[in-house]
Amino acid sequence: DAGVTQSPTHLIKTRGQHVTLRCSPISGHKSVSWYQQVLGQGPQFIFQYYEKEERGRGNFPDRFSARQFPNYSSELNVNALLLGDSALYLCASRDSWTSALQETQYFGPGTRLLVL
Amino acid sequence: GESVGLHLPTLSVQEGDNSIINCAYSNSASDYFIWYKQESGKGPQFIIDIRSNMDKRQGQRVTVLLNKTVKHLSLQIAATQPGDSAVYFCAESNDMRFGAGTRLTVKP
């Protein structure tokens, strides 16, 4: 089975532009989470979606939004890009939405976004 | 506030030696922990997990130890190999908080 896939792999944008990143979870996984990883730091949680509903949100501004589709794939949208949005954006999937089941999640390779 | 963090940002070991990477957490309600390995240009890769009802769990060449009394966990890698060179993160699963990571460098 394919793992978590993300597209594009790399992206260059300029300040003020908008970007859409895409993620396909592992087959059978219903939950998708998005993370931002700035160089030299650990991943920071942005959103979690399960069954097309938002189940969790990190401390990110409203410029960040996401959605999940009926096939469980997901998009992360970032508006009015800032230089500080340059980072690796990671998508992760798991079968359920609650970590209470102590189920690990699996990460994709990420999309590297550079904002100039 | 609550935090998940690592004691050392870098660790350099000789090939064949054992490596120990440490992690502290402050949320006493945390009940599930995961270690990830992240190689350059890749997403984090699951290594091993441990539940709070356990003190130790072993995998292939890796062992995770959990000390709930002092809220500390460690990842031990036996016979470290060049392919183990990466950044290692501990994560607390309740809300998937990651530490900054420890960069492990294995010298041949």
Side-chain angles (χ1 to χ4, degrees):
Chain A
D1 279 341
V4 178
T5 59
Q6 294 185 243
S7 64
T9 56
H10 296 81
L11 201 54
I12 300 175
K13 293 285 189 178
T14 57
R15 282 178 296 175
Q17 284 189 311
H18 161 271
V19 68
T20 298
L21 310 180
R22 297 177 174 83
C23 171
S24 292
I26 291 171
S27 178
H29 282 189
K30 302 179 180 63
S31 173
V32 169
S33 296
W34 287 95
Y35 293 80
Q36 179 195 66
Q37 186 177 24
V38 174
L39 192 64
Q41 297 182 18
Q44 299 295 310
F45 172 71
I46 308 175
F47 287 111
Q48 182 186 30
Y49 275 77
Y50 177 75
E51 292 284 12
K52 297 176 288 181
E53 292 187 7
E54 182 182 303
R55 298 289 184 163
R57 174 185 286 255
N59 187 25
F60 279 80
D62 292 343
R63 298 185 296 107
F64 289 76
S65 63
R67 56 179 176 167
Q68 187 177 32
F69 299 99
N71 65 354
Y72 303 114
S73 67
S74 177
E75 285 182 353
L76 175 70
N77 296 284
V78 186
N79 293 323
L81 284 166
L82 303 174
L83 296 180
D85 294 331
S86 297
L88 179 68
Y89 288 85
L90 295 162
C91 173
S93 77
R94 60 155 61 107
D95 187 30
S96 67
W97 73 272
T98 172
S99 61
L101 294 179
Q102 298 177 342
E103 178 187 73
T104 193
Q105 58 184 353
Y106 297 90
F107 284 84
T111 292
R112 187 161 297 282
L113 172 66
L114 177 62
V115 182
L116 300 176
Chain B
E2 306 289 359
S3 67
V4 175
L6 292 156
H7 291 310
L8 296 172
T10 61
L11 176 64
S12 183
V13 300
Q14 205 69 37
E15 181 179 359
D17 288 350
N18 297 334
S19 302
I20 300 176
I21 301 171
N22 296 304
C23 180
Y25 64 96
S26 55
N27 183 359
S28 56
S30 298
D31 57 5
Y32 179 51
F33 303 90
I34 308 164
W35 281 99
Y36 288 94
K37 171 186 180 183
Q38 188 174 24
E39 296 174 282
S40 181
K42 298 183 179 180
Q45 176 187 2
F46 171 86
I47 302 173
I48 192 167
D49 58 2
I50 189 167
R51 290 159 174 72
S52 59
N53 61 351
M54 303 169 69
D55 296 323
K56 179 180 180 178
R57 189 168 189 213
Q58 288 184 294
Q60 185 178 15
R61 282 201 307 118
V62 294
T63 301
V64 56
L65 300 177
L66 175 62
N67 185 329
K68 295 180 286 294
T69 302
V70 295
K71 290 182 281 189
H72 177 272
L73 68 159
S74 65
L75 177 71
Q76 300 178 2
I77 305 174
T80 314
Q81 303 170 358
D84 295 327
S85 294
V87 178
Y88 290 81
F89 296 99
C90 64
E92 182 269 317
S93 183
N94 286 3
D95 57 6
M96 289 307 296
R97 286 177 295 185
F98 286 75
T102 292
R103 179 174 297 280
L104 174 64
T105 301
V106 182
K107 296 177 289 185

